[in-house]
Amino acid sequence: MFIIQGMMADASNSSSQSPGFTEKLKSWLSWSWTYLWLLWFIMLLFLIYILRTPLKLQESLTAVTVFLNTLTPKFYVALTGTSSLISGLILIFEWWYFRKYGTSFIEKVSVSHLRPLLGGMESSSASSQLFTSINGEAEPGSSSVSECKVWRNPLNLFRGAEYSRYTWVTGKEPLTYYDMNLSAQDHQTFFTCDTDQLRPADAAIQKAWRERNTQSRIKAAYQAIEINQECAAAYVLLAEEEATTITEAEQRFKQALKAGEASYRQSQLIQHHGARQDAQHRRDTNVLVYIKRRLAMCARKLGRIREAVKIMRDLMKEFPLLGMLNIHENLLEALLELQAYADVQAVLAKYDGLPSFFSDISLPKSATICYTAALLKARAVSDKFSPETASRRGLSTAEMNAVEAIHRAVEFNPHVPKYLLEMKSLILPPEHILKRGDSEAVAYAFFHLQHWKRVEGALNLLHCTWEGTFRMIPYPLEKGHLFYPYPGCTETADRELLPSFHEVSVYPKKELPFFILFTAGLCSFTAMLALLTHQFPELMGVFAKGFFSTLFAPLNFAMEKIENFMPSSFWHQLTRI
């Protein structure tokens, strides 16, 4: 029996390895349609010409001509009007689909269904590249996939004290369901562990993170506190979602800090006693780091900036391995507010230009790092920079370095300059961002626009130089200058992360698809024909006959030459065959 199973396995392997007859036929047909379509077309015309007598093509053509001559102009008006209406409806649908999804519906269907039938390779859809890890941990693979991962926004706002207040004032939801769902996954990853079911309070708060309704989450957090007054995660939830002011949120986080430090010290003593204890310690570490970071952000928002900087520095020193949380971006923003540019440069020296996980290319961690480096170099020359003077005498070394830094930043994220130059309106940043995408640009400009305005002439220098980047990268999706090619999946992911009332910035700017232009031209042309036929029926009839006679004149000329060249007996014999 084992021998039979082995033979069946070998047979299945050999059959899976060797292509079948269907695959061979399909590949042959695709090859023939790719390279020999002209020959096929000529053979088809030749065959139709040979069989014109048995098929009575001449008589059929004469009957059709007689029928068309008997039609009134009203028929042609109705025909062209109907064609114009249908093409107009197609145009409206194509335009709506392009505005919503950034591609042509007809083109998408053609690529998805017709191209595989003709042997083309199915391109991986943008949605398949949008699968994201919560921590931003990259799986081994291509760089484009890693750049399309969604990351936690290091400067995300407070839901109760900021996002909810925006909703109360404007009636608009600043967060999408996709963004909030990612946050729920983050909370379940960072603030829960396998041993939570053994403790009633932790089990209650674990259930709270899975609740969709805000009030249900708050109610579950209070239940956890009733069970255990030292449940740090419950205070975190209340600080994030129930507190309506930053001061109130800070008070809740201080309660959470007290409980979190106690839990951290207890789990630290038993972390090496087993896998469960180690998982619990990791969870308590995540909770403590999150609390301290949010306390630093509260201090920053309340104007106690030096206190915020101290908390962040201590946090980075105490937990150096948690670099994926990008606490240094919070530190950079606070140092810029203090105008401590020397300290900013020291932080950039440590975090800018680190090697990528996938190659030796030095890739900035974020737009914050890249644009902050450009701001520091622009600060050295921007106050005296004049485009007229620079065009006369050329750029100095310092000005050249500043321009190159701006070009580098724009290549990394080309959406940021429009927000910094206030060419596009800002919205509240989402809780998650996409590196090099519009969501990251919104998050960066929301917090750093004031720092650019504070440096005299920095925005003027940016305005004069940022568009020059695109001359160095004419095909950004295929080849970059300093970085990897710009990922093509950013638009789809940003549409999921950003609210519907925000117009997503698209790069590179997409031209209108061919089918939209084609349907627009077809609609306009048929509408014009319908109008002219209705107004001038006799003249349009003469014009149509003249047009078709001119159109078929070369074909008739070629047929006469073939008739004269070939002997009549040869055609007679072929016809009999």
Side-chain angles (χ1 to χ4, degrees):
M1 182 171 180
F2 292 107
I3 297 175
I4 295 175
Q5 290 177 350
M7 294 174 61
M8 292 176 62
D10 293 338
S12 62
N13 291 336
S14 62
S15 63
S16 63
Q17 292 175 0
S18 60
F21 175 75
T22 306
E23 285 76 11
K24 290 182 178 179
L25 181 62
K26 183 178 178 181
S27 63
W28 183 82
L29 285 174
S30 64
W31 179 85
S32 64
W33 275 109
T34 304
Y35 299 102
L36 302 178
W37 63 271
L38 183 60
L39 181 61
W40 280 60
F41 183 70
I42 295 175
M43 291 174 60
L44 180 63
L45 291 179
F46 186 71
L47 183 63
I48 292 175
Y49 181 79
I50 291 175
L51 299 177
R52 71 187 188 282
T53 302
L55 296 178
K56 300 181 179 180
L57 296 180
Q58 190 70 29
E59 292 81 353
S60 301
L61 183 61
T62 304
V64 170
T65 304
V66 173
F67 173 74
L68 293 177
N69 290 332
T70 59
L71 294 175
T72 63
K74 292 183 178 180
F75 171 79
Y76 294 104
V77 173
L79 178 64
T80 52
T82 305
S83 302
S84 176
L85 175 63
I86 295 175
S87 57
L89 293 176
I90 296 175
L91 172 63
I92 294 172
F93 175 76
E94 277 282 296
W95 177 256
W96 169 83
Y97 195 89
F98 175 73
R99 295 286 296 177
K100 185 173 179 62
Y101 300 104
T103 185
S104 166
F105 176 77
I106 300 176
E107 182 180 340
K108 181 180 178 181
V109 171
S110 302
V111 172
S112 302
H113 300 285
L114 299 182
R115 189 178 179 186
L117 294 178
L118 298 178
M121 297 294 294
E122 293 188 24
S123 58
S124 59
S125 62
S127 60
S128 64
Q129 297 178 348
L130 297 180
F131 182 79
T132 58
S133 63
I134 301 171
N135 304 339
E137 294 175 356
E139 298 176 1
S142 65
S143 62
S144 61
V145 176
S146 69
E147 291 177 355
C148 287
K149 286 187 174 295
V150 175
W151 297 70
R152 183 81 176 178
N153 182 5
L155 295 169
N156 67 303
L157 305 177
F158 294 86
R159 280 200 189 177
E162 292 173 306
Y163 288 121
S164 295
R165 293 172 69 89
Y166 177 83
T167 304
W168 298 338
V169 173
T170 63
K172 298 179 180 179
E173 289 291 342
L175 298 176
T176 63
Y177 174 76
Y178 176 71
D179 192 13
M180 291 189 290
N181 186 50
L182 288 177
S183 297
Q185 296 178 30
D186 290 348
H187 297 150
Q188 293 179 54
T189 301
F190 287 123
F191 302 149
T192 61
C193 65
D194 296 336
T195 61
D196 285 347
Q197 299 299 330
L198 303 177
R199 297 177 295 277
D202 290 336
I205 197 63
Q206 188 180 49
K207 179 183 177 182
W209 294 124
R210 291 195 294 265
E211 292 286 348
R212 292 188 178 182
N213 183 266
T214 302
Q215 296 303 320
S216 300
R217 288 195 295 270
I218 294 174
K219 182 179 178 181
Y222 275 115
Q223 291 175 354
I225 292 175
E226 289 178 3
I227 299 172
N228 180 13
Q229 295 288 333
E230 300 298 322
C231 184
Y235 291 111
V236 169
L237 192 150
L238 295 177
E240 291 286 352
E241 304 204 18
E242 187 191 39
T244 57
T245 63
I246 299 299
T247 304
E248 189 178 341
E250 185 181 37
Q251 293 173 356
R252 287 293 191 183
F253 275 119
K254 287 181 178 179
Q255 291 177 295
L257 178 63
K258 182 179 178 181
E261 287 179 335
S263 299
Y264 176 77
R265 286 193 295 268
Q266 292 175 5
S267 62
Q268 191 175 26
L269 298 175
I270 59 172
Q271 63 173 317
H272 300 298
H273 291 182
R276 288 187 173 182
Q277 289 78 4
D278 185 56
Q280 183 178 345
H281 177 67
R282 286 200 303 271
R283 191 278 307 273
D284 292 338
T285 303
N286 291 335
V287 172
L288 182 62
V289 171
Y290 184 87
I291 293 170
K292 289 186 175 182
R293 178 182 190 164
R294 296 303 259 179
L295 278 172
M297 295 177 69
C298 288
R300 163 67 182 90
K301 293 175 185 292
L302 294 174
R304 306 194 307 271
I305 305 173
R306 296 190 183 277
E307 178 185 343
V309 169
K310 184 179 184 304
I311 296 175
M312 294 173 193
R313 288 189 184 277
D314 294 342
L315 199 56
M316 294 168 62
K317 189 180 299 183
E318 186 177 359
F319 302 99
L321 298 180
L322 295 179
M324 64 182 181
L325 299 177
N326 296 325
I327 302 175
H328 57 274
E329 295 193 15
N330 301 81
L331 179 61
L332 282 173
E333 197 279 327
L335 291 173
L336 286 172
E337 181 65 21
L338 290 175
Q339 301 185 41
Y341 297 110
D343 293 336
V344 172
Q345 185 63 57
V347 176
L348 287 177
K350 183 178 180 181
Y351 289 98
D352 192 7
L354 291 178
S356 170
F357 289 107
F358 299 98
S359 75
D360 295 332
I361 296 180
S362 295
L363 185 68
K365 292 290 186 180
S366 65
T368 300
I369 290 178
C370 212
Y371 276 89
T372 302
L375 176 61
L376 292 189
K377 291 189 177 180
R379 176 176 169 268
V381 297
S382 60
D383 56 337
K384 299 178 182 178
F385 178 78
S386 172
E388 293 80 9
T389 305
S391 61
R392 279 199 312 270
R393 61 171 172 78
L395 294 175
S396 63
T397 303
E399 289 173 339
M400 184 64 71
N401 291 336
V403 172
E404 289 177 354
I406 290 175
H407 287 174
R408 173 176 177 260
V410 173
E411 182 184 353
F412 181 79
N413 193 318
H415 309 284
V416 172
K418 287 188 177 181
Y419 294 106
L420 293 180
L421 298 173
E422 299 182 87
M423 300 166 64
K424 285 195 68 175
S425 58
L426 274 172
I427 60 171
L428 295 185
E431 292 184 337
H432 291 80
I433 59 174
L434 185 70
K435 296 294 180 70
R436 308 185 74 178
D438 190 36
S439 52
E440 184 190 33
V442 169
Y444 172 79
F446 185 85
F447 293 99
H448 289 261
L449 176 58
Q450 56 181 332
H451 306 316
W452 280 81
K453 287 184 175 181
R454 188 178 293 122
V455 177
E456 183 182 356
L459 290 176
N460 178 47
L461 179 60
L462 177 68
H463 174 72
C464 296
T465 58
W466 74 281
E467 291 182 331
T469 310
F470 306 128
R471 289 193 290 269
M472 299 185 296
I473 43 175
Y475 306 103
L477 298 179
E478 301 174 8
K479 184 180 180 181
H481 178 61
L482 296 174
F483 309 118
Y484 290 114
Y486 189 80
C489 61
T490 56
E491 179 186 355
T492 307
D494 281 330
R495 291 185 188 275
E496 295 287 338
L497 290 171
L498 296 169
S500 58
F501 58 82
H502 173 72
E503 183 180 355
V504 175
S505 178
V506 179
Y507 175 80
K509 195 67 176 179
K510 291 186 177 180
E511 298 180 356
L512 286 177
F514 165 76
F515 289 104
I516 289 183
L517 300 175
F518 175 76
T519 52
L522 181 63
C523 178
S524 304
F525 179 70
T526 52
M528 182 183 66
L529 284 181
L531 180 62
L532 292 176
T533 307
H534 181 266
Q535 294 292 329
F536 312 102
E538 297 180 357
L539 183 62
M540 287 300 295
V542 174
F543 174 77
K545 290 180 181 179
F547 173 77
F548 283 110
S549 62
T550 305
L551 181 65
F552 289 108
L555 180 62
N556 294 331
F557 178 77
M559 298 301 295
E560 291 177 1
K561 290 296 182 181
I562 293 175
E563 290 281 358
N564 296 332
F565 179 75
M566 292 290 183
S568 58
S569 59
F570 177 75
W571 294 116
H572 179 69
Q573 294 297 330
L574 287 178
T575 305
R576 292 184 60 185
I577 293 174

